Amino acid sequence: MQEEVPQLAIRVKDLVVGFGRQIVIDHLSLDVRRGEILGLVGASGGGKTVLMRTIIGLIPRRSGEIEVMGAEIGQDGERSKRSAAERWGILFQQGALFSSLSGALMDEIATAKLEMVGLRPEDGDKFPAELSGGMTKRVALARALALDPAIVFLDEPTSGLDPIAAGDFDALIRTLQKTLGLTVFMVTHDLASLNTVCDRVAALADGKIVAIGTMHELLRSSHPWVRAYFHGKRSQMLQPKAS
């Protein structure tokens, strides 16, 4: 029986991104399946956030193709970028909360999304300085979900959180993904998140995806950087998820 080909939420082919003479993304290709949580790992400064920001159109590419939910994202087509942007939500690393949430969204949408991420409606009236780190992440996630996106991009979502808050946030991401059928593209260095939340993990090194698969598959990778990352001292707590 022929194996069914998974539908793709994101397709990146032969992507090149650079700044001046420095090539950060070097002919990279990556497929993200619809409905999965994909974790992207790589060395600090190795291009993880650059790749995410290029996919969503914040950084120009030198060459290559990008498709989101079957629609090609053109190099200079603002209409195509705006149309694609309506299909995704974004949580940046610091939450990027510059004003109170209720001033940016209609009250009824804000209330529903805040409750969805485990917050109270009155939390939407608070200023960023009044929120804890965990609450800031949840408010940012509520905003990312405001327009019912098909894809959510998360940039280091558990950065700055203590282990308990990070675990709670991981559980929230998994619950929302299952409930809403989201595709989640998550840039992270959090080994616990990779192990407990992600369906697949992609490793970025030397400007390319050098390994991709389940956690169990990446633990068996022979690539030097992948082995150093997943078999180093800080990875001793890792155990592959039961399939």
Side-chain angles (χ1 to χ4, degrees), residues 30-32 36-40 184-186 198 200-202 212:
L30 173 66
D31 290 341
V32 182
E36 77 170 339
I37 299 179
L38 179 81
L40 178 67
V184 179
F185 184 100
M186 181 167 68
C198 297
R200 293 193 303 153
V201 178
I212 186 169

Side-chain angles (χ1 to χ4, degrees), residues 90-142:
I90 307 166
L91 189 158
F92 291 108
Q93 184 169 349
Q94 301 303 326
L97 298 175
F98 304 112
S99 62
S100 61
L101 184 64
S102 59
L105 300 173
M106 295 184 296
D107 287 343
E108 62 269 26
I109 296 178
T111 297
K113 301 306 179 181
L114 286 170
E115 291 178 346
M116 184 180 291
V117 299
L119 295 175
R120 301 168 299 175
E122 53 265 34
D123 291 326
D125 294 321
K126 295 180 179 178
F127 289 96
E130 299 176 284
L131 301 172
S132 67
M135 291 175 69
T136 298
K137 298 285 188 178
R138 287 173 181 256
V139 172
L141 180 58

